[in-house]
Structures are given as C-alpha cells and as structure tokens.
Amino acid sequence: MARTALVTGGTRGIGEAISIALKEAGYDVAANYGGNDAAAQAFNERTGIPVYKFNVGDFEAVKAGIAKIEAEVGPIDVLVNNAGITRDGALSKMTPERWQEVIDTNLTSCFNCAHAVIDGMRARGFGRIVNMSSVNGQAGQFGQSNYAASKAGLFGFTKSLAQEGAAKGITVNAIAPGYVDTEMVRAVPEEVLAKIIKRIPVGRLGNTTDIARAVLFLADDAAGFITGATLSINGGMRME
Ligand code: CAA
C-alpha cells in the first residue's frame, strides 16, 4: 500500500516540487497551504494533489487539519515540515510581531505538526519527518535574526526528536537549502541577490528539484539508518 505524505507549504516553491516528486514516486500526498488560495487551486488543478488550508503556527488548527487529512487521505507516514516565511529587516527595525510571526510559522509549526502525527507513527512503528531548515540557520544572515533563529532552532528540534523516535522506526532529519530559485529568494533586492550569487561556488541559485530529490531520499523506507542528520544543499556556499 502506498505511504501517505504531508507537505506543509506544499503548493508553492520548494514545497510544490516536493509534493510533485513524492506523488511521482507513488506516495499519496496531501499539500498544506496557509493563505494563497489561487495558487493552491491552480496547483491542485495541475497536479491532482489535494490541498488543505490551515495555519501551521496554530496548534489547534494543525490538529484539526491533520485529523481531516488522515481521514481523507490516510495516516501520515511522511511529514515534510516545509512551510516558512521571511520578514527580513535589521534588528533595530524589527517589531515583536515580525519576530513572532516568523518563529510561529517556521519553528513552532514543526512542533505542532510533529505533535499531531507522532502518536500514529509510534503506534505503526514507522515514520519519516523532514524539517526544512536553511543555510542561514547555519551561518546567520544580515537582516534575518528572526528567520535564522527559527531555522537554527530546527537543528535542536530535529536531533531531539530523532532520539525520541529512533526506537520506534521514526527518523527525523533536517535539510539546509542554500539560495534556491523561488519567489522568496527573488524578493531579495536585486543588487543584494547578485552579491549572494557571487558567493555560491557553483555559480547559480539552486533549483527546487535539487531539494525535492533529497526529501525523496530521506523519506524512503530504506533510509532508516539516517536520523538526526542535516543535509546541506547549497551549491558549496557553506561547507561543513
Ligand atoms: N551586511 C552589512 N551591512 C549591511 C548589509 C549586509 N548584508 N545589508 C545592509 N547593510 C547596512 C546598510 O548599508 C545600512 O548601513 P547604513 O545605516 O550605514 O546606511 C544598514 O545596514 C541598514 O540597512 P537597511 O536600512 O537597508 O536595512 P534594513 O533593515 O532595511 O534591511 C535587508 C535590509 C532587508 C536585510 C536587505 O539587506 C536584504 O534584503 N538582505 C538580504 C537578506 C536575505 O538574504 N534574505 C534571504 C531571503 S531568502 C531566504 O531566507 C531563503 C533561505 O533560506 C536562503
């Protein structure tokens, strides 16, 4: 029987590529999204993947959303915590709201979603959780104290949950993409982005499919010995 996967923020950008790659690999996929109805509807029409709108930063909304997905699509075997936002700006200009919004959407969301699926995974003795971090969570970035903190927080979350899941067949890993060609990255001012691309040894932005390939690899039944790891995919921008 096909395994079921949930991709948060799964209708646009990196998430869209992940949803499609999982579907093509035979998974039953559900794609969550937060706000852009038109994009979600177009994605659904293009791919046939069902879409579910809820705020991943809201514990109760996640609980209800995931219960609906499990009833309609199936018990979730693979959770890809991909949803994320930026609210860039130097700290002196950053409001508490912009700090909190990013922490809620990028970090608390992973707690909320994992919390909603973990008991089922434990009972079935199988689970794959992939948390989408960022090179900027590893290295920091001017103007991203909120975003970098949320993405760095994911490393501790990943390693702790990996230890909790290990004896139950649940792996938990992080992916740290570099600058990938998405709307989020294209929103960076042109001259700033040009300087960033100069710092990428392969000389280009990543493609969303570069990241989706890694999710497929980590989600596989055969990847049971990989847990608590971080896979950096950044064109050489930051080497361990
Ligand atoms: N390094 C050092 N100094 C910098 C700087 C930098 N990178 N960027 C700006 N400054 C300086 C400015 O020159 C300015 O100096 P003065 O006060 O002496 O004039 C000062 O810092 C303040 O600059 P701004 O008023 O422009 O600052 P701001 O609060 O408006 O923020 C910014 C600017 C929005 C952060 C802009 O620099 C920016 O967009 N940077 C890119 C951030 C980035 O990389 N975001 C990634 C988004 S994609 C993503 O996050 C996906 C992923 O995972 C990789």
Side-chain angles (χ1 to χ4, degrees):
M1 219 175 82
R3 293 210 179 273
T4 300
L6 165 62
V7 184
T8 68
T11 63
R12 294 192 295 137
I14 291 174
E16 174 177 8
I18 295 168
S19 297
I20 291 170
L22 285 165
K23 183 178 178 190
E24 286 176 352
Y27 291 81
D28 289 331
V29 181
N32 151 267
Y33 73 103
N36 191 332
D37 293 314
Q41 199 186 329
F43 165 85
N44 170 256
E45 281 163 12
R46 223 170 32 250
T47 64
I49 296 171
V51 295
Y52 293 86
K53 182 179 186 178
F54 53 89
N55 174 6
V56 288
D58 178 333
F59 185 81
E60 292 303 330
V62 167
K63 209 166 135 185
I66 287 185
K68 190 168 192 291
I69 292 169
E70 294 208 313
E72 292 179 2
V73 185
I76 293 164
D77 304 301
V78 178
L79 167 65
V80 185
N81 279 319
N82 167 77
I85 58 168
T86 53
R87 296 289 181 267
D88 293 355
L91 187 89
S92 58
K93 292 186 201 160
M94 190 177 289
T95 60
E97 289 74 24
R98 288 167 84 81
W99 168 268
Q100 200 59 48
E101 205 182 340
V102 168
I103 298 295
D104 288 348
T105 306
N106 297 6
L107 179 59
T108 307
S109 60
C110 298
F111 165 78
N112 292 341
C113 293
H115 195 277
V117 300
I118 202 77
D119 287 344
M121 288 181 174
R122 286 169 61 84
R124 294 188 299 277
F126 180 88
R128 297 281 182 264
I129 298 178
V130 180
N131 297 318
M132 205 55 65
S133 182
S134 164
V135 66
N136 292 347
Q138 297 170 309
Q141 168 64 38
F142 185 102
Q144 287 204 305
S145 58
N146 51 1
Y147 184 86
S150 71
K151 295 298 187 181
L154 282 180
F155 296 127
F157 177 74
T158 298
K159 291 173 191 174
S160 301
L161 193 54
Q163 292 181 31
E164 294 182 18
K168 297 285 183 189
I170 303 165
T171 68
V172 188
N173 293 290
I175 294 178
Y179 282 72
V180 175
D181 194 358
T182 59
E183 276 174 49
M184 181 188 273
V185 165
R186 291 284 172 198
V188 172
E190 210 178 308
E191 64 288 358
V192 179
L193 189 57
K195 280 189 201 151
I196 289 169
I197 294 173
K198 281 204 181 105
R199 290 170 37 220
I200 305 174
V202 305
R204 63 166 175 88
L205 296 175
N207 298 315
T208 54
T209 48
D210 291 329
I211 312 304
R213 284 164 57 81
V215 174
L216 278 188
F217 174 71
L218 293 172
D220 202 277
D221 277 31
F225 206 58
I226 308 172
T227 196
T230 299
L231 189 45
S232 297
I233 307 172
N234 57 33
M237 187 180 191
R238 182 183 181 279
M239 301 185 187
E240 297 293 331

